[in-house]
Amino acid sequence: MSGETLVQQHPMTSQSDSVLSNPFDADSFDAAVMSTYGRFPLALERGAGCRVWDTEGREYLDFVAGIATCTLGHAHPVMVEAVTRQIQKLHHVSNLYYIPEQGELAKWIVEHSCADRVFFCNSGAEANEAAIKLARKYAHTVLEIEQPIILTAHSSFHGRTLATITATAQPKYQKNFNPLVPGFHYVPYNDIAAVETAISELDEGDYRVAAILIEPLQGEGGVRPGDVNYFQKLRQICDETGVLLIFDEVQVGMGRSGKLWGYEHLGVEPDIFTSAKGLGGGIPIGAMMCKKFCDVFQPGEHASTFGGNPFACGVALAVCQTLEKENILENVQHRGEQLRTGLRAIAAKYPHHITEVRGWGLIDGMELKADTELTAADVVKAAIHQGLLLVPAGAKVVRFVPPLIVTEKEVDTALQIVDKAMAAVTA
Ligand SMILES: *Cc1c(COP(=O)(O)O)cnc(C)c1O
């Protein structure tokens, strides 16, 4: 994507524009910043609610929300107030001391989930690393497994550290980074027989399955919801064998699914789960929650310098309290229904190009037919031309993850733009 020209035909501007005429100097940016990302040729500089503006003053409806992160949208008064208050009071002290905001946030999470206790870090990958370490220590000290194995699912996404790319069962994230971390094994998603086979076949000598790390709904892997029967069977297997059930709720958690946690859609509770993206409303924070097995780590066995600092926790607590106070989950449910209904109507107009619309709440995907040339990136680019930000989830799925405060009118506008974008890419 990087380096391509994106000719703007934006409804907000009279003349069409290309990024090349943009005063933002992408060349000098690229000369100084490492080329780890394929960027769309846009430079964003301001936001309010579900809208963002680029350096040219063009307005976009934001259905990306910093990749399922800006829970309350941009420049929400609650966040402005919380950020300002906390930076003026105290922002960082380290975990050498008690941090009241950290305790308050942990209490909120414990009261609003199946968790008994929380560990704080700064990102989703780190939260999953913490869960992997906890599972391994549990395996060694409680299950007495010398060589514990963690099962993860094909098309999963768990982060970009070495352990979490190993957990991520997608070759494109692992290529050229071997040797990977030992102790992971992959199974197809939503396939219970594969889990049963793996657990029995991997039980050999010092080796045994100790944990299953899985997303209740696969986000990056194409917005694929978990199957209720599959997850209930997983829970049953874990109860019978002592294998830990770990849910990666980094993307689907914190209200995005229309329930606070993705597992609430599946009628089961995990032993451990992780959160990050939406938790701080866009301020970096990650968390690992555990039920029962909270005393596995002893002081000094796991840590994070920034993790749980007053700033991140103060802001995240304000986000959590606002979700609750303003009954935002109800909005997520209604806007999600509206979005999927509208997308299905669009899908019906393009039966040769769209196969399915699926999702929970405000994490939704529109899958394109495998046998056409059309990619999710093509649709995303066409939508950007029309003033709507979207993000692919894999090559063939267009993902919709707006701020959870999105209005009925904004969803309508987004649907109109998707319709126009589909018309443009199929013309
Ligand atoms: C984004 C994501 C991660 C990684 O989070 P980072 O904050 O980028 O490290 C892990 N798991 C899931 C399900 C995600 O969507």
Side-chain angles (χ1 to χ4, degrees):
M1 289 174 278
S2 175
E4 285 176 37
T5 307
L6 185 73
V7 179
Q8 285 282 331
Q9 293 171 319
H10 196 279
M12 308 296 168
T13 53
S14 49
Q15 83 264 42
S16 66
D17 249 318
S18 102
V19 70
L20 299 178
S21 68
N22 194 318
F24 177 79
D25 186 349
D27 289 339
S28 77
F29 180 98
D30 289 335
V33 179
M34 225 179 261
S35 56
T36 52
Y37 301 97
R39 292 179 172 84
F40 292 102
L42 280 186
L44 299 174
E45 65 170 9
R46 190 164 64 85
C50 298
R51 312 250 157 191
V52 290
W53 286 267
D54 70 11
T55 45
E56 286 278 82
R58 289 174 296 222
E59 182 180 314
Y60 301 86
L61 189 51
D62 183 7
F63 270 49
V64 177
I67 314 186
T69 293
C70 301
T71 308
L72 302 179
H74 303 280
H76 192 286
V78 165
M79 285 199 71
V80 173
E81 196 277 327
V83 164
T84 309
R85 171 169 34 85
Q86 205 57 52
I87 202 80
Q88 287 173 340
K89 194 174 158 204
L90 189 68
H91 69 289
H92 180 76
V93 290
S94 90
N95 289 291
L96 292 168
Y97 317 101
Y98 282 94
I99 297 169
E101 293 81 4
Q102 185 181 133
E104 288 304 312
L105 179 59
K107 255 185 259 173
W108 192 92
I109 294 172
V110 165
E111 280 165 13
H112 293 82
S113 75
C114 64
D116 292 328
R117 276 191 232 161
V118 187
F119 169 84
F120 290 106
C121 51
N122 312 287
S123 67
E126 270 181 276
N128 288 331
E129 285 270 351
I132 291 164
K133 280 179 71 178
L134 193 147
R136 283 191 173 184
K137 190 177 175 203
Y138 183 76
H140 286 292
T141 58
V142 181
L143 302 176
E144 297 183 332
I145 305 173
E146 256 323 293
Q147 300 285 349
I149 295 166
I150 298 176
L151 297 184
T152 65
H154 292 158
S155 301
S156 58
F157 186 82
H158 300 296
R160 299 295 199 128
T161 62
L162 270 176
T164 57
I165 59 165
T166 310
T168 296
Q170 297 197 56
K172 69 175 177 182
Y173 294 110
Q174 301 175 340
K175 194 172 167 239
N176 289 329
F177 296 119
N178 51 306
L180 297 175
V181 175
F184 290 89
H185 181 89
Y186 312 130
V187 288
Y189 192 61
N190 282 340
D191 179 347
I192 202 68
V195 171
E196 289 168 332
T197 305
I199 289 177
S200 68
E201 285 184 356
L202 294 169
D203 187 353
E204 205 186 310
D206 290 340
Y207 291 86
R208 190 142 56 95
V209 172
I212 300 169
L213 168 61
I214 194 159
E215 295 157 87
L217 171 151
Q218 291 190 325
E220 307 294 318
V223 191
R224 286 171 215 288
D227 179 69
V228 174
N229 291 329
Y230 171 75
F231 272 83
Q232 299 202 341
K233 203 79 211 298
L234 272 187
R235 181 67 274 175
Q236 196 186 327
I237 290 170
C238 289
D239 287 339
E240 287 164 10
T241 56
V243 169
L244 288 180
L245 188 55
I246 307 172
F247 287 172
D248 180 341
E249 294 255 3
V250 168
Q251 188 159 166
V252 74
M254 268 306 284
R256 179 146 296 279
S257 73
K259 298 185 188 288
L260 196 53
W261 306 109
Y263 65 76
E264 295 173 52
H265 290 265
L266 299 168
V268 293
E269 292 182 350
D271 300 311
I272 297 170
F273 65 103
T274 55
S275 176
K277 286 194 168 84
L279 181 56
I283 300 298
I285 184 168
M288 172 187 60
M289 277 59 69
C290 65
K291 206 172 115 182
K292 293 186 284 192
F293 311 104
C294 306
D295 295 322
V296 172
F297 284 147
Q298 296 302 305
E301 286 186 332
H302 195 56
S304 165
T305 300
F306 285 126
N309 80 16
F311 182 76
C313 290
V315 179
L317 182 63
V319 172
C320 291
Q321 289 170 337
T322 304
L323 272 189
E324 189 172 16
K325 203 170 76 200
E326 297 185 4
N327 204 10
I328 289 173
L329 292 190
E330 198 179 297
N331 187 58
V332 176
Q333 290 158 16
H334 291 149
R335 298 290 75 79
E337 282 289 339
Q338 181 193 351
L339 180 61
R340 286 187 301 279
T341 302
L343 289 175
R344 283 183 185 127
I346 293 169
K349 284 172 69 176
Y350 299 95
H352 301 298
H353 293 90
I354 301 172
T355 59
E356 193 187 23
V357 170
R358 57 177 179 252
W360 291 341
L362 289 173
I363 178 161
D364 297 294
M366 180 174 86
E367 181 160 23
L368 304 172
K369 284 233 151 125
D371 60 2
T372 68
E373 300 273 284
L374 188 64
T375 66
D378 295 332
V379 177
V380 168
K381 281 179 208 165
I384 292 175
H385 281 267
Q386 306 281 345
L388 173 66
L389 302 186
L390 297 173
V391 58
K396 286 288 189 177
V397 179
V398 182
R399 179 171 25 169
F400 299 80
V401 282
L404 305 189
I405 56 163
V406 72
T407 64
E408 184 172 359
K409 195 154 166 274
E410 286 165 335
V411 171
D412 270 338
T413 305
L415 286 166
Q416 285 165 22
I417 295 177
V418 173
D419 200 0
K420 277 195 225 163
M422 283 306 300
V425 294
T426 55

